[in-house]
Amino acid sequence: MLRIGHLSCGYGGPPVVRDVSFRVREGERLCILGPNGCGKTTLLRALAGLLPSQGVMEMGGEDLRALPTRRRAQKLALMSQLSPAAFDYSVYEAVMLGRYAHQRGGLLSGESEADRKAVEDSLQLTGTWELRDRLVTQLSGGQLQRVFLARTFAQDPQAVLLDEPTNHLDLRYQVELIDILRTWSSTPGRCVVGVLHDINLALAFADTVLLLDHGSVLACEPMDRFDLAMLDGLYGMDVRDYMKTTLQRWS
Ligand code: ADP
């Protein structure tokens, strides 16, 4: 579905992401793991078209770079970390903003029945239907993040790119968000590429793990073949021992 080949990108100096290749199939949830500064966000930003890059970037056989912005937004949506809601939109209006890629004459052209249906479905799926008339400036962090997720879904992309969407969220909200994403990705024709801060959450969510080391792919394996010991070298510590010791506190 998504094919990335020999992708490199950066910020003008030496490339931060180097020669990265991977594929994501329909229904797949690929999580990118690696320590701070290894290039996870940079890679996601390049996939989202927010950073110039070299290499192959195709979705459904189409060159993503050659697509007009709207067409591209129908294929890929980036959901990033909690961003403060600066405007007094209602939740319903904020989620409707996700429909811009589908509204021919722009947002001022008026909402269609399909727009309303997509917004309502997204509000339902993310559990924000009851909040629809509230102002986004008056929501808690967890509620706001679910509203952002609803807006991402309303865009009706084929692939959702996640940049640490669970950061700053309480455990319950983290688990909820991941469950919602799992449900969303189970509809045919969809996939997820995600960076999740929490390794445990990433391993629970992913069916494929891509390890990024100094901007290059160290491994890209399905979960059932993934060797957890690879995390030790990548993070420079005995990750499994740390996890086991932490878990013992709960028994
Ligand atoms: P990660 O998401 O894995 O923590 P990032 O992609 O944010 O890593 O950063 C990778 C590298 O790119 C880091 O060395 C970081 O300092 C650098 N970097 C990130 N953003 C910028 C920027 N806007 N300009 C220049 N360098 C940047």
Side-chain angles (χ1 to χ4, degrees), residues 36 79-84 139-146 148 163-175 177 195-198 201:
N36 285 343
M79 187 202 167
S80 38
Q81 291 175 34
L82 194 72
S83 34
L139 299 179
S140 73
Q143 290 170 329
L144 194 56
Q145 204 65 334
R146 276 188 289 150
F148 287 140
D163 190 7
E164 305 199 351
T166 58
N167 249 9
H168 314 298
L169 293 186
D170 287 346
L171 187 60
R172 195 187 110 209
Y173 284 117
Q174 293 184 25
V175 173
L177 210 79
V195 173
L196 302 177
H197 188 68
D198 185 299
L201 210 59

Side-chain angles (χ1 to χ4, degrees), residues 17-242:
V17 167
R18 269 170 282 144
D19 201 23
V20 163
S21 300
F22 62 91
R23 284 168 189 256
V24 189
R25 293 183 314 275
E26 192 178 322
E28 194 171 349
R29 300 182 301 267
L30 178 135
C31 281
I32 304 167
L33 285 176
N36 285 343
C38 74
K40 302 181 295 296
T41 296
T42 304
L43 174 57
L44 280 188
R45 298 191 70 218
L47 296 184
L50 300 174
L51 263 188
S53 59
Q54 290 83 47
V56 177
M57 216 157 52
E58 280 180 6
M59 208 167 160
E62 286 186 279
D63 179 3
L64 280 172
R65 292 194 195 88
L67 294 178
T69 314
R70 260 159 208 267
R71 276 285 291 139
R72 193 186 170 112
Q74 291 170 10
K75 288 190 171 275
L76 279 169
L78 173 70
M79 187 202 167
S80 38
Q81 291 175 34
L82 194 72
S83 34
F87 301 102
D88 266 352
Y89 290 116
S90 71
V91 165
Y92 187 92
E93 287 164 338
V95 175
M96 184 58 82
L97 289 178
R99 294 299 297 166
Y100 70 95
H102 298 271
Q103 291 173 333
R104 282 191 188 183
L107 278 175
L108 296 176
S109 64
E111 310 155 9
S112 68
E113 197 47 49
D115 292 333
R116 279 190 287 274
K117 166 113 178 49
V119 169
E120 286 173 24
D121 287 350
S122 306
L123 290 168
Q124 296 283 7
L125 178 58
T126 53
T128 50
W129 175 252
E130 276 71 33
L131 301 174
R132 64 192 179 282
D133 295 325
R134 295 265 296 272
L135 292 177
V136 287
T137 44
Q138 294 170 2
L139 299 179
S140 73
Q143 290 170 329
L144 194 56
Q145 204 65 334
R146 276 188 289 150
V147 170
F148 287 140
L149 192 61
R151 186 177 62 190
T152 308
F153 290 162
Q155 192 173 321
D156 195 21
Q158 294 169 0
V160 164
L161 309 174
L162 303 168
D163 190 7
E164 305 199 351
T166 58
N167 249 9
H168 314 298
L169 293 186
D170 287 346
L171 187 60
R172 195 187 110 209
Y173 284 117
Q174 293 184 25
V175 173
E176 266 179 24
L177 210 79
I178 289 305
D179 280 346
I180 295 168
L181 280 158
R182 202 180 273 120
T183 306
W184 181 85
S185 64
S186 65
T187 295
R190 293 174 173 173
C191 65
V192 178
V193 177
V195 173
L196 302 177
H197 188 68
D198 185 299
I199 296 178
N200 269 322
L201 210 59
L203 295 179
F205 177 63
D207 38 37
T208 305
V209 183
L210 186 148
L211 299 186
L212 208 57
D213 185 12
H214 294 94
S216 300
V217 177
L218 181 67
C220 186
E221 299 282 352
M223 256 324 277
D224 52 6
R225 286 216 306 266
F226 177 58
D227 179 7
L228 286 171
M230 293 197 82
L231 295 173
D232 297 351
L234 187 63
Y235 286 90
M237 63 180 277
D238 192 334
V239 177
R240 283 173 308 164
D241 185 59
Y242 172 78

